[in-house]
Amino acid sequence: MATKRIYKCGACGGDGSKAGALFEALCNVARGMSPSCNACNGPTNLHFEHSFGLGVGATKSEVKAIYLPKKLESWNDSDGSKVIFYPFLVVLCREGRKDAFWMPYWHKVEKPNGKTINKYGQWAPFMDAHLFESLVSQAQADGYVIAKP
C-alpha cells in the first residue's frame, strides 16, 4: 500500500495538501477532482511512496491516470450487507524508471444498520509497464482481451 501520499503542484512545484485516506484520494483523481495548490491555486498531481520488501525498498511515483470501471459490481453478503467492488487501475511514472501499473482494490461494505466499512484488498499488484503489457498482449493474442479502436 502507498505509505506516503501527497498532492504536488504542476505549476509552481510546491507541495499541495496531504492526500488523506487512500481510497478517497484514488476515487477523487479517477473522477477528476484533485485539489488546487495551496500556494498558487494551480493544478496538483497525486504522488506516492510505496515501501516494498525483498530488497526493492521505497519507490516514489507520480500518478498519470486512475481508472475505475464505468459500472461497479455489487452483491449482497450473507448478513444482508451490500458489497461494492472498487478495482482501480493506476498508471504511474516511477522515479528513475518508466511507467508502471498498480491495481489496488477495495470492497465497500454497506451494513444493514447504515454503517459503511471500506476494506482494502491485500494483494494489489504493482509492476513496470513492460510486464503489464506483456501479460495483456498474451491475453489479447489468445482472444481474451479485445483491443478496441
Side-chain angles (χ1 to χ4, degrees), residues 93-106:
C93 180
R94 291 178 74 178
E95 186 177 84
R97 297 177 81 152
K98 295 186 178 184
D99 290 347
F101 293 91
W102 179 38
M103 296 182 291
Y105 62 94
W106 272 259

Side-chain angles (χ1 to χ4, degrees), residues 63-136:
V63 171
K64 294 175 81 174
I66 299 177
Y67 301 98
L68 272 170
K70 302 235 184 262
K71 184 174 175 38
L72 298 170
E73 292 278 325
S74 66
W75 58 90
N76 291 322
D77 198 2
S78 60
D79 69 354
S81 298
K82 180 179 180 182
V83 180
I84 306 167
F85 179 48
Y86 283 80
F88 294 90
L89 174 59
V90 182
V91 183
L92 303 156
C93 180
R94 291 178 74 178
E95 186 177 84
R97 297 177 81 152
K98 295 186 178 184
D99 290 347
F101 293 91
W102 179 38
M103 296 182 291
Y105 62 94
W106 272 259
H107 293 98
K108 184 181 229 181
V109 181
E110 297 173 351
K111 296 285 189 182
N113 64 7
K115 186 176 180 180
T116 300
I117 302 167
N118 293 333
K119 295 185 173 187
Y120 177 70
Q122 296 298 309
W123 311 110
F126 185 115
M127 68 190 83
D128 286 337
H130 70 95
L131 298 171
F132 183 77
E133 290 164 357
S134 174
L135 294 171
V136 172

